């Protein structure tokens, strides 16, 4: 079964600082990977998705970027954080070969911008 | 875009049955998912419907009507640990498997 590792679990950063959140997956090959953000009082919003190494698609224009340097690694980055970047960031994984399989989530990173 | 609507809050008592509704409008519909999310934790998968009808999994059942753009999650024999947010999510397309979530329904179960 898939295991999704995210770190750190919590992060407090000043406005204008850079960001790097990492997600790695085990127990699957050729996964689709996703980054979501859950802001206070709002639903999960899809930020980025990737079907393979170096292949990134963005859902919404924003201050963030994503990269996939390895098949099982997905990184969320920012050069300069904004207050509005605060939220709960979740990485999700899905076996690309099985269309009926759900996405499974990592434990998330709670990001607070001061 | 996607319009996914579900009630913000619901309450029920232990042992009761509760139905959480979800309506959606989307193009490229390819399935509807229900997730459970306890406070401060990640969502966990509960159920999935791609065809019309009822899917039963123990105390949890989910129903889908594609023509009406409607789904519900039915929770039976409620327990205190069922207090959580329940998220309705619509999948668009097959290969990409993108999910679009409603804002969630906060269910509180009272003793």
């Amino acid at each position: 079964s898939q295991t999704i590792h995210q770190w750190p679990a919590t992060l407090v950063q000043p406005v204008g600082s850079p960001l790097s959140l990492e997600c790695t997956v085990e127990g699957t090959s050729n996964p689709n990977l996703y980054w979501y953000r859950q802001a206070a009082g709002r639903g999960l919003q899809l930020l980025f998705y990737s079907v393979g190494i170096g292949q990134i698609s963005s859902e919404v224009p924003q201050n963030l970027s994503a990269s996939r340097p390895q098949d099982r690694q997905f990184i969320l980055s920012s050069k300069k954080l904004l207050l509005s970047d605060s939220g709960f960031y979740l990485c999700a994984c899905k076996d690309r070969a099985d269309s009926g399989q759900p996405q499974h989530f990592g434990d998330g990173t709670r990001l607070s911008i001061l | 875009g996607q319009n996914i609507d579900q009630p913000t809050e619901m309450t029920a008592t232990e042992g009761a049955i509760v139905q959480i509704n979800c309506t959606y409008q989307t193009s490229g519909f390819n399935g509807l998912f229900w997730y459970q999310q306890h406070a401060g934790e990640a969502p966990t998968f509960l159920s999935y419907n791609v065809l019309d009808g009822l899917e039963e999994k123990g105390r949890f059942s989910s129903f889908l009507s594609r023509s009406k753009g409607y789904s519900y999650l039915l929770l039976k024999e409620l327990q205190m640990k069922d207090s959580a947010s329940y998220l309705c999510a619509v999948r668009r397309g097959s290969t990409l498997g993108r999910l679009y979530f409603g804002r969630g329904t906060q269910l509180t179960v009272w003793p």
Side-chain angles (χ1 to χ4, degrees), chain A residues 32 34 36 38 41-44 46 49 51 59 88 90 94 96 99-108 110, chain B residues 2 30 33 35 37 39-45 48 87 91-92 94-104:
Chain A
N32 285 354
Y34 310 84
Y36 291 86
Q38 190 173 38
R42 301 186 65 179
L44 270 75
L46 178 62
Y49 58 94
V51 298
E59 273 290 298
F88 190 35
L90 291 154
K94 175 189 170 305
R96 189 181 313 151
S99 62
Q101 191 188 80
Q103 291 182 22
H104 294 282
F105 289 84
D107 289 338
R110 195 162 300 280
Chain B
Q2 293 69 232
N30 191 31
F33 293 78
Y35 285 81
Q37 186 179 24
E41 298 181 7
T44 55
F45 169 71
Y48 161 63
L87 311 179
R91 184 170 68 184
R92 294 181 65 197
S94 56
T95 304
L96 297 176
R98 292 166 294 175
L99 289 182
Y100 298 90
F101 285 82
R103 295 193 175 195

Side-chain angles (χ1 to χ4, degrees), chain B residues 10-96:
Chain B
M10 298 184 72
T11 60
T13 53
E14 256 187 317
I17 300 173
V18 70
Q19 178 175 313
I20 303 174
N21 296 325
C22 172
T23 59
Y24 64 89
Q25 290 178 297
T26 189
S27 57
F29 176 83
N30 191 31
L32 189 138
F33 293 78
W34 285 96
Y35 285 81
Q36 180 191 60
Q37 186 179 24
H38 285 99
E41 298 181 7
T44 55
F45 169 71
L46 288 179
S47 70
Y48 161 63
N49 297 70
V50 65
L51 300 176
D52 291 350
L54 189 68
E55 292 285 340
E56 297 190 76
K57 266 186 165 184
R59 294 190 299 116
F60 295 79
S61 303
S62 58
F63 172 83
L64 175 67
S65 169
R66 289 172 296 171
S67 62
K68 295 182 179 178
Y70 168 68
S71 174
Y72 68 72
L73 179 69
L74 193 71
L75 293 80
K76 303 175 185 176
E77 301 170 17
L78 281 173
Q79 303 174 10
M80 297 290 289
K81 67 178 182 179
D82 296 329
S83 291
S85 183
Y86 290 85
L87 311 179
C88 171
V90 169
R91 184 170 68 184
R92 294 181 65 197
S94 56
T95 304
L96 297 176

Side-chain angles (χ1 to χ4, degrees), chain A residues 1 17 22 35 44 64 70-71 78 88 91-92 94-95 103:
Chain A
S1 62
S17 63
E22 189 159 343
W35 278 111
L44 270 75
L64 303 168
Q70 300 179 45
D71 187 49
S78 174
F88 190 35
C91 177
K94 175 189 170 305
D95 186 341
Q103 291 182 22

Side-chain angles (χ1 to χ4, degrees), chain A residues 2 5 8-10 13-14 20 25-26 29 43 48 59-60 63-64 69 71 77 79 83 85-86 92 94 101 108:
Chain A
Q2 301 165 354
H5 301 281
T10 59
Q13 292 283 107
S20 181
V25 300
E26 296 176 357
S29 56
F48 299 96
E59 273 290 298
V60 293
N63 185 41
L64 303 168
D71 187 49
S77 304
K79 292 182 179 178
L83 282 174
D85 291 325
S86 292
K94 175 189 170 305
Q101 191 188 80

